[in-house]
Amino acid sequence: MKIFYSEQHRNHYPPYEVFDGGKRVPYFENPDRMDRILTALKTKEWGEFRLPQDFGLDPIRAIHDEGYLKFLASAWTEWLAMDPEIAATPERHAFLPATFALRRKTNRPTSSLHGRGGYYMMDLSACIVAGTYQSALTSAHCALSAADFTYNSKQSSFALCRPPGHHAGRDYAGGYCFINNAAVAANWLSAKAKVAILDIDYHGGNGTQDIFYERGDVLTISIHGDPDYEYPHYTGFADETGAGAGLGFHRNFPLPAGTGNEGYLAALDEALGLIRKVSPDFLVLSTGMDTFDGDPLGKFHVTREGFQEIGQRISGLRTPTVIVMEGGYANAALGENILTLLENFK
Ligand code: SP5
Ligand code: ZN
């Protein structure tokens, strides 16, 4: 199996994030996650590592707002230029806003850096540091490269993306995500063939949902912790099924805290039934491993046997699949877990 991966992600490693309650904690979405996955993949002879190709900005601009991309590109250097204290010890800092644009009709500020931060960010976890923009672009190029390979070969492939993408919307970052890798790849494929996105990360794929909400050409489905108790809190409920031309082409499966293999697989079977009805040429699988029993950010109890079954049932669609890495924070088990899932697609 082709694995598209770049070392570029190491330059995106914020020194902290801010948890609910205002608590500063070490960044959960860290490079060690990739090291665990790399170590596991390298024990197998079937993994063929490839560097991503550079697809340029056009396929990313097709999904993301121009002002937002400019903000991502310049926020860090703008901030350094504003504050000599930060510039003296950049490794101890990350850019975050402290004021957010909420539900009211908002205007887009064009000058204040922190104003733009609050406009383009949904929470305090998508911290920007020096390498963030380049890492996010390269991550998207891994997803595009995997999509290109899968399109041409009709074989499934793995985009080992970091930072992840599914919480990022057209004009906002959040949940460790900046560029929506799966959405960029799926949109690129959608110009050539019929594509569906299945999001199995523990957290609702709000960014992907928003991006495709009014499109009837790409079915999007997310299975996740019920937003009634879990991040991202405000979208991912069962009654959100798309709008306009997209009505009926988005589905959420919010599941209760404590969901184990059995409950998860029942929802998955329902989701796979919907995908079979649409019969896409390609599937983009937003793959988070944070449904794992013991994940520090999750409340599900999916086991390694569960991931085996999940992989088997999804690969049973016999649809060439672009597997895009999203979350998963039980680092010690992450390598084995992703391997268990991937082995079904090789
Ligand atoms: C890609 C991805 O998985 N992003 C997830 C972002 C989740 N951020 C919200 C974290 C809420 C933390 N609740 C912590 C409970 C600790 N016991
Ligand atoms: Zn997640």
Side-chain angles (χ1 to χ4, degrees), residues 166-167 175-176 201-204 231 288-291 297 326-329:
H166 75 146
H167 295 303
Y176 313 137
D201 186 280
Y202 168 73
H203 303 94
Y231 179 95
M289 292 280 118
D290 36 10
T291 51
L297 298 190
E326 301 284 1
Y329 311 97

Side-chain angles (χ1 to χ4, degrees), residues 77-140:
T77 46
E78 285 184 61
W79 196 39
L80 286 192
M82 268 167 68
D83 190 333
E85 213 177 296
I86 307 289
T89 53
E91 68 288 347
R92 302 209 331 242
H93 300 281
F95 171 78
L96 283 174
T99 308
F100 293 92
L102 283 183
R103 295 175 294 285
R104 66 192 82 97
K105 167 82 185 86
T106 51
N107 280 316
R108 183 195 308 235
T110 53
S111 135
S112 159
L113 173 62
H114 286 93
R116 278 175 288 147
Y119 189 83
Y120 291 125
M121 294 165 120
M122 64 180 270
D123 60 35
L124 300 176
S125 73
C127 306
I128 294 177
V129 296
T132 300
Y133 181 59
Q134 200 51 53
S135 298
L137 287 177
T138 306
S139 189

Side-chain angles (χ1 to χ4, degrees), residues 302-330:
V302 174
T303 63
R304 187 143 157 230
E305 292 68 42
F307 287 127
Q308 159 55 28
E309 194 60 36
I310 290 167
Q312 194 172 315
R313 293 192 193 186
I314 298 171
S315 66
L317 290 171
R318 298 267 160 257
T319 303
T321 300
V322 183
I323 301 161
V324 178
M325 194 67 214
E326 301 284 1
Y329 311 97

